[in-house]
């Protein structure tokens, strides 16, 4: 098969130009006689790759100088544990706003470390809406407030930044980072697994307001200490160099394409087309999320007749549209349309959906 | 430049056949229309890759069924912290045998969790020898005894397995795993960062005797819990799929080449040739490690005249021999000659060393 349009939620589709460059450089990076994945992380070649990746991400996201940027292993889940270990005192309160599956996961990592308090939850409503800020019950003296900017499974996304006063706002941006301009200065910590919008799986980005690093936190190993990682410039131990390199290629591709403003416009068009196709199907397809908080990145939808799920997936695959099966927690379908999904891919999906409905409706 | 012989200590050289396969599959894995790095870790394609990698490693190492095999992020350093968190009670004694830089690093990760006790150390002798088992002072009731099977920087390697009685032996095998046959049943835990003998950076292998998983350990996040990783089949969160895939290609390559017995023979020949070249140089080159514990993987050596270090490195590079500079902690040179370093590479290095000596000696 040639390249399909791949709607996987993560690991997710990568820009073809990035894959082609990685392919061309696989046996010999820039004439040094070895692949970048075979070179020391402390050698001049990889140090340059690493520095450029950080600089490019800082440019893309307009990250202020008083924020450190880390490239770490362990995924977003590991960062969820480290947030509590690094920024809360043992047993201190920490507020969690739970708007889907990943907010619940975040909570699960910190029970041993903090007094985790659910300040608000959309669970009673099946995570189809985000509880309004006015309904949140924040805890005085909390170490931080944690939100999930975009819920990959439930398809809800914060479209406005909540005001939480002087308490630092920590946000899991795994599935929506660099999808539109963001005011980084509103956050204490932004973290993201890279395997959705940033590039390859196996590396995570953590953006930390430096003053928070002065917090004592809890007794922890050196490898679990963000201060040590900042001091070691994300090379406290051997970093995932190939993954970091591939993320760097994605950053350069994004900058060349026009940066986050351009991707924000594309993502708005892509998601609008998909929701329009769903909403205009007379109920043949449905998305149950409150329109104001519908995700621009992950569009879960259901067919009215579940018996058509299998034919839908099979015919879509034949049409070169893959990885549309919904998460097992929800069933149905899900189209993940991160930055690297071209508009042509979403147009092809929308056309296929209309055609499928005509034939099976 | 075409492919050089790359003596990097890790990330390290990979088999060219493996890189060529990864290159060929970069845009389309087995005709599915996407790269393996773009596919869900829970989809049938990657599940197959993951299962084959584990099965092949079990075959390569003859891993008994009562051992679990994990593919995790975080590197060996992360595992060092997790060993204490998972297998020792808070403040319980744990014995560390320190035979080089990485043994010291292991110790550094656990101070908050266990009563770490240095049972033996080669530091007074500059880590040029391994203290004999008879001189170790083991602690009654220790949770485990930790050793570093091969010290990448100091170039010392256990050539005999120490008997530590009923206390489980935990070993960092990052730089010598699968380099020769090993009796896994002698160990409680074997762990290794993959970026030396196993393949790419960004994934670690942990081999755990299952009965140890019943130990309560210490309060810890789910993501820091080996039991959760075992239960989740190393997919508690999104694993580093591409790195895992590349390691799997290395395992298949090793099996096709003849397995660990064949690599043991090659590694013996490679290291013998290099030590013979050094020892036969009338002191022009020197390696200071006690011959009985010299590493077969990492050969540090020094030129009698330090002023020749720079010309040595420059001329070696011109001869297609790269990454020979020693670790900054020791200076001098280091040739890392893992499984993927062909015998032709070591022969070329030995020939270059003799030639360099003739011209500069």
């Amino acid at each position: 098969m040639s390249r399909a349009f791949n709607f996987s939620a993560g690991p997710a589709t990568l820009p073809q130009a990035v894959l082609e460059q990685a392919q061309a450089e696989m046996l010999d990076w820039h004439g040094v006689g070895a692949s970048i994945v075979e070179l020391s992380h402390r050698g001049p070649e990889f140090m340059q790759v690493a520095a450029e990746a950080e600089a490019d991400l800082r440019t893309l996201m307009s990250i202020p100088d008083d924020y450190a940027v880390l490239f770490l292993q362990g995924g977003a889940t590991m960062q969820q544990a480290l947030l509590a270990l690094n920024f809360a005192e043992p047993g201190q309160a920490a507020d969690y706003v739970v708007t889907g599956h990943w907010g619940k996961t975040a909570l699960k990592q910190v029970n041993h470390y903090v007094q985790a308090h659910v300040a608000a939850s959309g669970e009673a409503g099946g995570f189809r809406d985000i509880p309004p800020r006015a309904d949140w019950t924040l805890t005085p003296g909390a170490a931080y407030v944690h939100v999930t900017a975009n819920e990959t499974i439930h398809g809800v996304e914060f479209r406005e930044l909540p005001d939480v006063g002087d308490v630092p706002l920590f946000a899991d941006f795994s599935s929506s980072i660099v999808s539109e301009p963001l005011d980084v200065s509103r956050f204490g910590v932004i973290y993201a697994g890279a395997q959705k919008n940033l590039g390859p799986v196996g590396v995570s980005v953590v953006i930390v307001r430096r003053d928070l690093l002065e917090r004592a936190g809890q007794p922890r190993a050196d490898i679990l200490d963000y201060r040590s990682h900042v001091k070691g410039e994300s090379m406290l131990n051997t970093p995932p160099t190939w993954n970091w390199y591939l993320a760097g290629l994605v950053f350069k591709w994004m900058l060349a394409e026009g940066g986050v403003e351009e991707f924000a416009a594309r993502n708005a068009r892509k998601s609008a087309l998909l929701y329009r196709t769903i909403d205009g199907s007379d109920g043949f397809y449905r998305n149950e999320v409150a329109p104001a908080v519908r995700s621009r990145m992950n569009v879960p939808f259901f067919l009215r007749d579940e018996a058509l799920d299998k034919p839908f997936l099979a015919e879509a695959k034949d049409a070169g549209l893959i990885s549309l099966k919904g998460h097992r927690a929800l069933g149905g379908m899900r189209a993940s349309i991160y930055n690297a999904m071209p508009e042509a891919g979403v147009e092809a999906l929308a056309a296929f959906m209309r055609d499928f409905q005509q034939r099976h409706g």
Side-chain angles (χ1 to χ4, degrees), chain A:
Chain A
M1 179 187 257
S2 58
R3 297 272 297 168
F5 290 120
N6 170 18
F7 296 91
S8 178
T13 196
L14 283 159
Q16 184 160 337
V18 165
L19 287 174
E20 284 167 351
Q21 184 171 349
Q23 183 179 45
E25 296 176 346
M26 182 62 88
L27 272 82
D28 185 9
W29 184 86
H30 295 203
V32 301
S35 174
I36 195 76
V37 73
E38 299 175 297
L39 295 174
S40 171
H41 52 296
R42 299 206 182 274
E45 299 88 1
F46 185 74
M47 292 293 276
Q48 177 197 332
V49 166
E52 283 184 22
E54 178 177 336
D56 288 341
L57 185 62
R58 284 186 177 275
T59 301
L60 268 175
M61 293 185 65
S62 306
I63 301 172
D65 287 343
D66 58 332
Y67 285 73
V69 176
L70 294 169
F71 292 81
L72 300 178
Q73 295 187 69
T77 312
M78 179 63 78
Q79 312 317 319
Q80 288 163 350
L82 298 196
L83 293 180
L85 279 172
N86 282 268
F87 301 122
E89 288 170 39
Q92 190 180 1
D95 284 333
Y96 282 77
V97 178
V98 179
T99 54
H101 177 91
W102 296 109
K104 285 176 77 172
T105 303
L107 204 53
K108 200 173 160 187
Q109 298 306 323
V110 301
N111 285 331
H112 292 293
Y113 306 134
V114 296
Q115 194 72 36
H117 170 239
V118 177
S121 172
E123 190 157 19
F127 294 126
R128 293 187 190 87
D129 204 348
I130 290 181
R133 172 66 187 88
D135 294 350
W136 298 6
T137 55
L138 297 179
T139 312
Y144 54 83
V145 178
H146 182 278
V147 298
T148 310
N150 178 71
E151 282 281 354
T152 318
I153 294 175
H154 289 90
V156 300
E157 182 179 12
F158 278 92
R159 300 306 301 137
E160 280 178 29
L161 286 181
D163 183 350
V164 293
D166 290 337
V167 179
L169 182 61
F170 290 3
D172 179 353
F173 263 92
S174 290
S175 45
S176 58
I177 192 166
V178 301
S179 67
E180 64 181 345
L182 183 70
D183 181 358
V184 173
S185 72
R186 295 281 303 274
F187 296 88
V189 176
I190 290 171
Y191 67 98
Q195 70 272 16
K196 297 158 194 293
N197 269 311
L198 291 179
V201 65
V203 65
S204 302
V205 164
V206 185
I207 302 166
V208 189
R209 212 177 67 208
R210 292 186 198 274
D211 66 316
L212 292 170
L213 296 166
E214 289 159 27
R215 291 191 179 183
Q218 313 195 12
R220 59 198 181 274
D222 198 37
I223 192 78
L224 303 178
D225 194 323
Y226 282 135
R227 287 177 303 211
S228 301
H229 286 293
V230 169
K231 198 175 156 206
E233 298 184 314
S234 303
M235 296 193 191
L236 188 59
N237 64 335
T238 313
T241 54
W242 193 81
N243 316 63
W244 193 338
Y245 149 79
L246 206 61
L249 295 185
V250 172
F251 303 160
K252 287 193 187 301
W253 170 79
M254 282 194 65
L255 287 168
E257 293 281 312
V260 287
E261 290 80 5
E262 170 63 19
F263 283 96
R266 291 184 197 177
N267 291 331
R269 288 195 295 270
K270 281 151 54 182
S271 54
L273 171 57
L274 217 40
Y275 286 117
R276 209 160 55 231
T277 306
I278 294 165
D279 293 343
S281 72
D282 285 328
F284 185 83
Y285 304 109
R286 75 179 189 284
N287 168 285
E288 299 173 335
V289 176
V293 297
R294 280 176 162 177
S295 168
R296 298 161 306 120
M297 298 287 110
N298 311 95
V299 182
F301 60 94
F302 304 88
L303 277 69
R304 182 167 46 206
D305 180 0
E306 274 182 33
L308 289 174
D309 283 3
K310 277 192 180 175
F312 181 92
L313 288 167
E315 292 183 30
K317 192 177 171 186
D318 288 342
L321 308 165
I322 66 171
S323 306
L324 282 162
K325 191 176 179 183
H327 190 275
R328 63 193 185 285
L330 283 190
M333 307 295 148
R334 175 173 49 170
S336 294
I337 50 174
Y338 304 117
N339 286 348
M341 172 56 66
E343 293 191 71
V346 178
E347 287 160 7
L349 174 59
F352 169 79
M353 287 169 69
R354 286 190 297 268
D355 178 61
F356 184 87
Q357 181 179 358
Q358 280 199 326
R359 287 182 290 108
H360 296 276

